[in-house]
């Protein structure tokens, strides 16, 4: 247990992504972001932690506050009790099996907690973003892939394996092959990678990023519009499943692809309106508010029980 002793007590949050590591320094009192920094992601577990610790030190060096804890969010399966990375994609070399929490604790000398990045995203949005105060929420992150996380009864719900809420790899969305080896998963229609691939197939164009597909959709390109409509429909279906199964009234959609909310939002809403939930529960599907800070801030929020105090460290 860490007691908040001084109003200058600070909590750091780290987001280890495939291309960059982002750090935020937050007020321990209300999680407001006081400073941020980032650096390219190096290769290897210890190198990633060294870079993370260096970013935090560069931020705390410029303040009078005292660092009391640090939270870390990273892709992959994380054992939250030990802070060890249980499984990670090939894009993170030397990461699977790495005791990330212990290494960052050794480097900084403060308590550290580690969580999966999508878990951190929904925690951040519930504590300080688009879903402040929500008791129940589904978080969907649209990046290269599709991640999901569940917030139930005011806390993260992990399920048996720690992977509850991972809706990206649920079937029922057509017959395209998924990156995981499965077929017809939500990710095959709604991830950045699949938006690029679907557009390329339809338009027979050279490869473009999902951001470029969004630009073309806004210019009226029918293939680009169709790809985003299909992604939105699939996400709307996922929202309805979450609502029907768990009574979730709030869904927060984040990640890079969600920046095309002008395209995705209406398609999601149309799908939800087409098959309104039998329960009659109103559903709010909103884009994330914290943008690039979401994962780092949500990682820091592991040390904040309600955004007003540090607890349970
Ligand atoms: Zn899959």
């Amino acid at each position: 247990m860490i007691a908040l002793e001084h109003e200058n007590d600070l909590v750091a949050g780290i987001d280890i992504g495939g291309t960059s590591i982002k750090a935020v320094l937050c007020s321990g009192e209300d999680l407001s972001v006081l400073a941020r920094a980032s650096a390219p992601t190096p290769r290897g577990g210890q190198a990633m932690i060294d870079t993370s610790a260096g970013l935090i030190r560069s931020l705390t060096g410029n303040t009078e506050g005292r660092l009391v804890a640090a939270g870390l969010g990273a892709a992959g399966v994380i054992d939250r009790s030990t802070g060890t990375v249980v499984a990670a994609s090939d894009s993170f070399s030397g990461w699977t099996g790495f005791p990330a929490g212990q290494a960052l604790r050794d480097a900084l000398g403060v308590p550290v907690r580690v969580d999966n990045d999508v878990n951190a995203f929904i925690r951040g949005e519930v504590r300080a973003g688009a879903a402040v105060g929500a008791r129940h929420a589904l978080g969907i992150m649209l990046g290269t892939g599709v991640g999901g996380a569940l917030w139930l009864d005011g806390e993260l719900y992990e399920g048996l394996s720690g992977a509850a809420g991972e809706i990206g790899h649920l079937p029922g969305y057509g017959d395209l092959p998924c990156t995981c080896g499965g077929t017809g998963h939500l990710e095959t229609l709604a991830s950045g990678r699949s938006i690029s691939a679907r557009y390329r197939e339809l338009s027979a164009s050279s490869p473009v990023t999902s951001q470029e597909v969004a630009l073309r959709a806004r210019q009226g390109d029918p293939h680009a519009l169709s790809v985003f409509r299909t992604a939105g429909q699939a996400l709307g279906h996922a929202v309805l499943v979450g609502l029907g199964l768990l009574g979730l009234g709030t869904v927060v959609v984040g990640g890079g692809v969600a920046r095309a909310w002008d395209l995705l939002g209406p398609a999601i809403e149309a799908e939800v309106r087409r098959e309104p939930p039998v329960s009659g529960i109103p559903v709010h599907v909103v884009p994330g508010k914290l943008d690039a800070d979401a994962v780092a801030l949500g990682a820091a929020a592991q040390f904040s029980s309600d955004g007003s105090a540090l607890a349970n460290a």
Side-chain angles (χ1 to χ4, degrees):
M1 184 91 175
I2 286 185
L4 191 70
E5 291 175 22
H6 307 285
E7 61 181 36
N8 282 346
D9 281 352
L10 306 171
V11 184
I14 292 282
D15 170 9
I16 296 188
T19 55
S20 71
I21 296 179
K22 301 185 193 77
V24 296
L25 196 61
C26 304
S27 153
E29 212 166 41
D30 62 2
L31 284 178
S32 54
V33 176
L34 306 171
R36 45 176 74 76
S38 69
T41 305
R43 292 178 66 78
Q46 189 60 48
M48 288 192 269
I49 293 301
D50 290 345
T51 297
S52 302
L55 287 172
I56 293 174
R57 285 194 203 99
S58 75
L59 293 175
T60 53
N62 294 326
T63 72
E64 295 185 353
R66 183 179 69 117
L67 184 72
V68 294
L72 195 157
V77 181
I78 310 292
D79 180 341
R80 292 176 68 209
S81 66
T82 62
T84 297
V85 182
V86 177
S89 84
D90 295 343
S91 51
F92 294 89
S93 66
W95 198 227
T96 298
F98 188 75
Q102 185 61 51
L104 190 59
R105 203 156 29 235
D106 290 348
L108 295 172
V110 296
V112 169
R113 285 184 168 184
V114 188
D115 206 351
N116 165 271
D117 57 351
V118 189
N119 289 352
F121 157 74
I122 190 63
R123 182 186 291 104
E125 293 290 349
V126 167
R127 290 279 164 75
V132 169
R135 293 222 26 100
H136 315 291
L138 170 66
I140 303 177
M141 239 175 129
L142 306 176
T144 313
V146 174
L150 281 171
W151 187 263
L152 296 179
D153 265 332
E155 54 188 59
L156 195 75
Y157 179 75
E158 295 185 277
L160 276 179
S161 62
E166 284 297 349
I167 55 163
H169 298 283
L170 290 187
Y173 299 88
D175 54 9
L176 294 166
C178 188
T179 51
C180 69
T183 300
H185 294 174
L186 174 61
E187 183 166 305
T188 65
L189 299 178
S191 71
R193 189 196 283 125
S194 59
I195 284 171
S196 301
R198 300 280 302 120
Y199 177 74
R200 193 180 175 194
E201 279 165 24
L202 282 178
S203 65
S205 77
S206 48
V208 292
T209 63
S210 60
Q211 292 100 302
E212 175 62 26
V213 181
L215 284 177
R216 293 185 187 185
R218 291 181 192 115
Q219 289 160 2
D221 180 327
H223 299 306
L225 282 165
S226 164
V227 167
F228 269 97
R229 200 160 42 236
T230 304
Q233 275 168 359
L235 288 164
H237 181 81
V239 167
L240 288 169
V241 169
L243 188 72
L245 198 60
L246 297 162
L248 301 168
T250 304
V251 180
V252 187
V253 186
V257 179
R259 288 185 195 132
W261 195 250
D262 54 324
L263 300 166
L264 280 178
I268 295 173
E269 264 178 42
E271 183 69 9
V272 173
R273 264 202 313 273
R274 198 172 66 79
E275 282 191 79
V278 179
S279 64
I281 301 171
V283 57
H284 305 286
V285 187
V286 292
K289 227 184 205 175
L290 302 174
D291 201 34
D293 284 345
V295 172
L297 196 146
Q302 292 178 100
F303 289 95
S304 161
S305 59
D306 60 1
S308 66
L310 286 165
N312 305 319

